[in-house]
Amino acid sequence: MESDLEARVRKLEAKVQELSDLEAIRDLRYRYHELINEGNYTEILDLFTDDAEIDFAHLGRGKGRAALAKFFGSVNISPASSGKGLYSFVKQFIHNMAVHVHGDTADGFSYLEAKPIHKGESYLVAARYDDEYVRQNGTWKFKKMALTPYFMVPLREGWAAIYSRVMRRKNCPPTSCSMTG
């Protein structure tokens, strides 16, 4: 018969594994944004499974390593890209990350605040990431990453203008309507 100490040790080991997994997944999300913020798009692919899928709404979609390489290769303007790319500058900030681990898979979400420059104009961006993760060979990777934009507006316009337009279109007061629903 198992002793109370053995049961407590197993329970403690399971909790340590859960906390280690949560931290590794958070590090994965943070590393992704560090690479984006530093313009290091070549290393991003290593954060995804070979069959990973991205859905970034109007920015683009892709499944598999080749599609992701093409997408991330088109994100940033660099001297080597002859001025072609989605952004000439972007800094992203992640907030309120939640993760749920289920053995060797997990899911989670986080909120994005971003400050890109697109075609010479500064933008304000707010969005939500919804992710699926998988542990492969002891390392957590993105299996699926979806971006739901809340707003992407020129800085000079501000998000208040789009909020007002959306609320008028929905014909509802600001306290009872969502900008995305």
Side-chain angles (χ1 to χ4, degrees):
M1 186 161 147
E2 171 178 274
S3 74
D4 183 47
L5 179 60
E6 290 170 333
R8 288 174 39 208
V9 167
R10 267 201 314 285
K11 187 175 179 180
L12 183 60
E13 287 172 338
K15 181 51 99 176
V16 168
Q17 183 63 56
E18 176 188 2
L19 294 173
S20 295
D21 290 341
L22 288 171
E23 198 59 31
I25 293 168
R26 285 186 188 113
D27 284 347
L28 175 68
R29 169 55 67 195
Y30 300 150
R31 179 71 177 142
Y32 171 83
H33 293 286
E34 178 184 28
L35 293 171
I36 292 285
N37 287 345
E38 299 302 320
N40 188 345
Y41 299 97
T42 56
E43 290 183 37
I44 285 178
L45 294 179
D46 295 336
L47 305 179
F48 290 86
T49 62
D50 287 342
D51 63 344
E53 182 178 351
I54 59 168
D55 180 352
F56 286 4
H58 67 282
L59 298 174
R61 293 169 174 76
K63 183 171 184 172
R65 198 158 187 87
L68 271 61
K70 182 178 178 184
F71 175 81
F72 288 113
S74 70
V75 172
N76 200 27
I77 296 173
S78 68
S81 70
S82 304
K84 297 176 183 171
L86 188 58
Y87 300 116
S88 58
F89 172 89
V90 64
K91 295 298 179 200
Q92 298 183 343
F93 308 94
I94 293 301
H95 308 281
N96 301 56
M97 186 174 181
V99 177
H100 308 98
V101 177
H102 317 284
D104 286 336
T105 64
D107 58 79
F109 65 88
S110 55
Y111 293 95
L112 170 71
E113 176 185 353
K115 309 292 197 291
I117 296 174
H118 175 65
K119 295 183 179 177
E121 184 159 19
S122 300
Y123 278 77
L124 297 172
V125 176
R128 174 179 162 141
Y129 280 104
D130 288 282
D131 302 318
E132 294 176 16
Y133 314 96
V134 64
R135 184 184 356 238
Q136 287 185 336
N137 301 319
T139 302
W140 284 98
K141 295 191 175 217
F142 290 106
K143 174 77 173 165
K144 183 174 183 181
M145 184 187 293
L147 179 76
T148 303
Y150 293 141
F151 58 81
M152 295 181 169
V153 296
L155 179 60
R156 64 179 160 69
E157 183 179 331
W159 62 269
I162 194 170
Y163 179 80
S164 296
R165 284 194 306 269
V166 169
M167 294 305 112
R168 279 195 306 274
R169 190 171 61 237
K170 290 183 174 185
N171 194 25
C172 60
T175 56
S176 64
C177 282
S178 164
M179 287 176 56
T180 60

